[in-house]
Each structure stands twice: as C-alpha cells, then as structure tokens.
Amino acid sequence: FEATNFNGANLEGANLENANFEYANLADANLKGANLTYANLNGVNLANANLKGTNFEYANLRGVNLADANLENANFEYAV
C-alpha cells in the first residue's frame, strides 16, 4: 500500500498487521478498531482520520500527520 491514496476510505475493523503504508494518504479515513500492529506508517497522512480504538502497537509512526484525528482509546504501546 506504499504511497497509495486511501483518502476517505472505510477500513473500520480491518486487520492490517504488518502492512506497509509508507507515505500513503489516509486523510479522513475510518480506521476505527483497525489492527495496525507492526505496521509501517512512516510519513502517512492521517489528518482528520477516525482512529478510535485503533491498535498501533509496535507501529512505525515517524513523520505521521495526526492533525485533528480522533485518537480516543487508540493504543500506541511500543510504537515509535
């Protein structure tokens, strides 16, 4: 999924463990309850995304844009 445009996509509850979204656009996307454990999100745009309850354990979040994202109950344990 590297550098893919997922603007506004509905990925609610998706299992995206180990996915590579490097430099992808996920602005306005719905990732509520998604599993992004060990995902590579380097440089990803998550502006205005719904990340409620999303699991980011061990994910690479370097350079991620989280402006105005809903981070309620999101899990960032061991994320970098």
Side-chain angles (χ1 to χ4, degrees), residues 35-46:
N35 178 18
L36 287 161
T37 303
Y38 293 105
N40 180 10
L41 301 169
N42 183 50
V44 169
N45 182 11
L46 287 166

Side-chain angles (χ1 to χ4, degrees), residues 4-57:
T4 302
N5 185 3
F6 286 101
N7 188 19
N10 184 5
L11 300 170
E12 183 174 347
N15 182 7
L16 301 166
E17 186 172 348
N18 291 307
N20 182 12
F21 283 100
E22 189 166 30
Y23 301 111
N25 180 18
L26 287 155
D28 299 306
N30 180 15
L31 289 156
K32 180 180 177 183
N35 178 18
L36 287 161
T37 303
Y38 293 105
N40 180 10
L41 301 169
N42 183 50
V44 169
N45 182 11
L46 287 166
N48 300 306
N50 182 4
L51 305 175
K52 184 176 183 179
T54 300
N55 185 6
F56 291 100
E57 276 187 284

Side-chain angles (χ1 to χ4, degrees), residues 5 13 64 71 73:
N5 185 3
V64 169
L71 302 174
N73 296 319

